[in-house]
Amino acid sequence: MSDAVLFDVDDEIAIITLNRPDSRNCLSEDVRDGLAQAWDRFEHTDGLRVAVLTGTGETFCAGGDLKEMVATGMQVPPRNMFALPYDTVQLTKPTIAAVNGAAFAGGWMIAQACDLCVADSRAKFAVTEVKVGRSSPWASPLIHMIPQRIMMEILLTGKPITAQRAYEIGLVNRIAESGDVLGTAMELAREILAGAPLSVRAARETVMLSTEMGRSAALQAARAASEHCYRSDDAQEGPAAFAQKRTPRYRGR
């Protein structure tokens, strides 16, 4: 791992931090490479169950590196240019964006790609591509998160919205007191950790299947995705612990 992206561990939580505050954590090549390595490390480390993505300084991520785009004459970005969870990077574990400041363009993109989003009360979000002659095809999954007319306005105008507005439209799960976004995200991560590992995985798969399929197909696929959970030792441990009035000891099997 380079110092462009930091990787820390707190219990079973990976904390991934964009660490280029002088360039507003833009998605320069070293940051892109660091993110790819960080997501890979998170996915393939057995003891890690949730990841929190945040940034240093006052900006979460200002988006793509426009200077690089000019220097290279970039037209259509390569499909694998950005390490996006559940898109160009295959992950099976939950992720949380802890948006500590502005999340513009590519910054919105990587926050959107995470399963959950916590925002500092002073954070702002914008899809600014129309302001610089670029496009935002990555924004298409927004239709499953926010209403169509609101999505249309955000993409057509490129104007920023506040953290409060992002919360109101359903883009953000929780708003943190200024300066405490990482603490709030860690609290949310620990709430996830309290659940049985296989149940959490099946729940996440159920949500994603439901966004990609019609009702009947999603029901059938979700039942199949839940089989491993139902047949696990943890599925017996949970009810037993409840009956015995004790804390369950989940083993993820």
Side-chain angles (χ1 to χ4, degrees):
M1 296 290 299
S2 72
D3 63 356
V5 175
L6 307 179
F7 193 100
D8 297 290
V9 174
D10 185 334
D11 193 16
E12 297 175 285
I13 304 169
I15 305 169
I16 300 170
T17 307
L18 308 181
N19 190 41
R20 284 290 183 261
D22 291 345
S23 59
R24 303 180 70 207
N25 296 323
C26 76
L27 296 171
S28 54
E29 185 175 6
D30 58 346
V31 172
R32 298 196 304 269
D33 290 345
L35 270 175
Q37 293 175 46
W39 292 129
D40 183 73
R41 180 175 173 184
F42 166 59
E43 175 68 10
H44 294 101
T45 301
D46 290 340
L48 296 176
R49 292 180 51 201
V50 182
V52 174
L53 175 66
T54 192
T56 55
E58 297 182 357
T59 301
F60 174 69
C61 176
D65 186 343
L66 296 181
K67 293 180 180 178
E68 178 189 7
M69 294 179 189
V70 171
T72 61
M74 183 182 297
Q75 295 182 342
V76 181
R79 177 71 179 84
N80 62 350
M81 182 173 178
F82 301 104
L84 289 182
Y86 322 110
D87 184 357
T88 59
V89 175
Q90 297 304 312
L91 300 180
T92 59
K93 307 173 186 180
T95 54
I96 303 171
V99 179
N100 54 296
F104 288 0
W108 179 310
M109 174 181 70
I110 58 175
Q112 174 188 303
C114 294
D115 289 319
L116 301 167
C117 184
V118 175
D120 185 284
S121 60
R122 296 186 297 180
K124 291 187 176 181
F125 298 78
V127 181
T128 56
E129 275 76 355
V130 296
K131 301 291 189 181
V132 292
R134 304 295 290 179
S135 190
S136 52
W138 51 262
S140 56
L142 268 177
I143 201 65
H144 297 294
M145 303 179 186
I146 66 177
Q148 176 180 320
R149 291 190 184 274
I150 295 173
M151 177 181 172
M152 190 74 76
E153 180 178 352
I154 287 169
L155 267 60
L156 295 186
T157 67
K159 292 181 63 175
I161 60 173
T162 64
Q164 180 61 39
R165 179 59 172 159
Y167 175 77
E168 290 169 355
I169 64 176
L171 181 70
V172 166
N173 296 88
R174 299 182 184 182
I175 297 179
E177 292 292 331
S178 184
D180 190 40
V181 69
L182 184 57
T184 303
M186 294 294 286
E187 179 183 343
L188 178 55
R190 292 189 179 98
E191 291 177 14
I192 295 171
L193 290 181
L198 296 179
S199 295
V200 168
R201 180 169 180 169
R204 191 192 168 281
E205 289 182 7
T206 296
V207 174
M208 299 312 294
L209 289 167
S210 299
T211 65
E212 297 171 6
M213 299 180 175
R215 179 180 178 276
S216 296
L219 278 170
Q220 184 175 351
R223 291 189 186 104
S226 297
E227 282 279 339
H228 183 47
C229 172
Y230 279 134
R231 297 183 186 281
S232 69
D233 293 341
D234 284 353
Q236 302 303 315
E237 166 64 10
F242 178 82
Q244 297 166 17
K245 298 182 179 180
R246 60 174 175 80
T247 302
R249 295 183 291 273
Y250 295 124
R251 295 187 173 86
R253 60 181 190 224

